[in-house]
Amino acid sequence: MIQSETRLVAADNSGAKELYCIKVLGGSRRRYASVGDIIVVSVKEAIPGSKVKKGDVLKAVVVRTKKEVGRADGTYIRFDDNSAVLINNAREPIGTRIFGPVARELRAKNFMKIVSLAPEVL
């Protein structure tokens, strides 16, 4: 459950370290984002000389949440952190590597590039 003002970890090598959720996309009154949802983020902390800079406003897709996500078979999955991957307007990841596991729900939302770059899909 990611909402406005939530801080997330960047799970890619775009150069961002910490992200700050500005807006959850998908409706005027939408409050929460879960795994696979697109959010608007600001880069709060970045590596010097990287693709993204501190203060950049970009879109990101949530790949891990601390709040558990229910699945159709009755199981739940939750992660140790809230993290997101920065994407461009074509819904392609900005970075070339993904760090840590990602949820299987990304496959259903057509983020196949992120799924293929991830070391593990849970």
Side-chain angles (χ1 to χ4, degrees):
M1 280 173 57
I2 309 299
Q3 63 182 349
S4 182
E5 299 191 20
T6 301
R7 289 184 181 250
L8 303 97
V9 177
D12 60 2
N13 68 341
S14 61
K17 285 185 184 175
E18 189 178 23
L19 305 172
Y20 176 84
C21 178
I22 296 172
K23 189 76 177 163
V24 177
L25 297 180
S28 61
R29 291 185 180 88
R30 182 135 185 234
R31 177 176 278 187
Y32 302 115
S34 188
V35 173
D37 292 336
I38 297 174
I39 58 175
V40 179
V41 297
S42 170
V43 177
K44 283 292 180 184
E45 196 178 331
I47 298 168
S50 60
K51 294 178 193 170
V52 295
K53 304 284 179 269
K54 180 181 174 181
D56 286 357
V57 176
L58 301 157
K59 288 182 182 174
V61 60
V62 179
V63 294
R64 292 192 290 270
T65 58
K66 280 185 161 182
K67 178 68 179 170
E68 63 275 352
V69 177
R71 291 186 169 164
D73 61 358
T75 61
Y76 291 91
I77 186 163
R78 67 173 175 233
F79 297 93
D80 290 338
D81 62 349
N82 293 320
S83 62
V85 172
L86 295 174
I87 57 173
N88 58 19
N89 288 332
R91 294 174 55 145
E92 297 287 317
I94 292 174
T96 55
R97 294 176 65 205
I98 306 293
F99 303 121
V102 299
R104 196 184 311 136
E105 281 76 6
L106 292 174
R107 194 183 303 270
K109 302 255 179 122
N110 291 328
F111 290 105
M112 298 308 292
K113 184 82 173 174
I114 294 172
V115 171
S116 65
L117 288 172
E120 191 175 9
V121 180
L122 299 178

